[in-house]
Amino acid sequence: MARTPLRSDLLEQITARVLDGRLPAGVRVNEVHLARELGVSRTPLREALIGLADRGLLVSAPGRGFLVPPFDPDEARRLYPLVAELEALALRWTSPLELAGLPDALDAVADEMAAADGVDLSALDDRWHALLLSRCPNPHLLRLIEQTKPLLKRYESAYFARHEHAGESIGEHRRIAAALRDGDLATASSVLVANWVKALAYPGKDGR
């Protein structure tokens, strides 16, 4: 008998469907079909949908249920600087001794990104950023970052779909690792913020 998904599993599975377009932007979520697909009843599904609406990944429309919000350049302009500053803050919260142990591993992931020619790099980029923040001792800050990042993932995939832009990002990743190797936290934080904010200069999925 198939296991009924836990609430965290439901949140993760629905989030994945929003981010990869199986639940398209601007379209109402068909709760009957989605409940059947996920193997759950309407009650836990609705609880998960409400949770994702509270986080901003969905919107609740009176009389229409839940919708995946359309792509919005203004939202991207708000989200990228926010995540940039949160990650830089997490870096500053981490002890220099802990940061000193990261550069080689960070460079190894950057090498994987550089070798993955023509491949969607967003998963590798996620790994790199997760590793960068892995020594931060503030769980509340990390939870805030974890809850905010899915809101911009739809925009981020458009950025990494352009390999020349990915190359720029990989170079910035290497500069961050080099700065940490030199104990230069100020430069590492500055390049990290620029790495996120630069994505705003490129058009998203709506071409703007």
Side-chain angles (χ1 to χ4, degrees), residues 7-18:
R7 184 174 186 274
S8 59
D9 296 330
L10 277 178
L11 292 171
E12 184 176 328
Q13 291 184 48
I14 298 168
T15 296
R17 284 162 170 76
V18 173

Side-chain angles (χ1 to χ4, degrees), residues 3-207:
R3 180 177 65 89
T4 300
L6 299 173
R7 184 174 186 274
S8 59
D9 296 330
L10 277 178
L11 292 171
E12 184 176 328
Q13 291 184 48
I14 298 168
T15 296
R17 284 162 170 76
V18 173
L19 298 184
D20 66 18
R22 281 177 286 172
L23 292 175
V27 175
R28 182 178 68 85
V29 175
N30 187 317
E31 295 181 37
V32 174
H33 290 175
L34 186 57
R36 185 181 304 121
E37 181 181 332
L38 296 174
V40 297
S41 68
R42 293 282 298 279
T43 298
L45 175 66
R46 177 162 281 269
E47 290 175 353
L49 294 175
I50 290 171
L52 291 175
D54 288 342
R55 297 182 186 182
L57 195 64
L58 299 174
V59 294
S60 179
R64 298 185 63 194
F66 296 89
L67 303 174
V68 179
F71 291 104
D72 180 359
D74 289 334
E75 181 185 39
R77 282 190 282 270
R78 291 188 294 267
L79 288 171
Y80 274 95
L82 174 61
V83 172
E85 294 296 340
L86 289 174
E87 284 207 349
L89 180 59
L91 206 58
R92 293 193 293 271
W93 266 87
T94 308
S95 76
L97 184 61
E98 293 283 3
L99 292 174
L102 291 177
D104 288 348
L106 291 171
D107 280 340
V109 179
D111 289 343
E112 289 186 57
M113 295 178 73
D117 187 26
V119 175
D120 180 5
L121 300 180
S122 59
L124 286 170
D125 185 68
D126 286 344
R127 264 180 55 198
W128 190 93
H129 283 271
L131 178 60
L132 180 69
L133 306 185
S134 62
R135 309 296 174 84
C136 176
N138 188 326
H140 305 291
L141 176 55
L142 294 176
R143 189 178 305 116
L144 181 59
I145 294 171
E146 180 184 358
Q147 291 176 351
T148 306
K149 272 192 171 181
L151 301 178
L152 58 73
K153 284 296 293 181
R154 298 184 302 161
Y155 303 95
E156 187 183 351
S157 63
Y159 177 69
F160 279 103
R162 303 168 182 269
H163 191 67
E164 67 275 18
H165 301 164
E168 293 178 19
S169 183
I170 294 167
E172 289 162 348
H173 287 179
R174 295 193 190 282
R175 288 176 58 199
I176 293 166
L180 293 179
R181 190 174 281 113
D182 293 339
D184 186 353
L185 181 57
T187 295
S189 298
S190 175
V191 177
L192 178 61
V193 170
N195 177 248
W196 277 109
V197 175
K198 183 178 290 185
L200 290 172
Y202 301 107
K205 287 182 180 293
D206 59 359

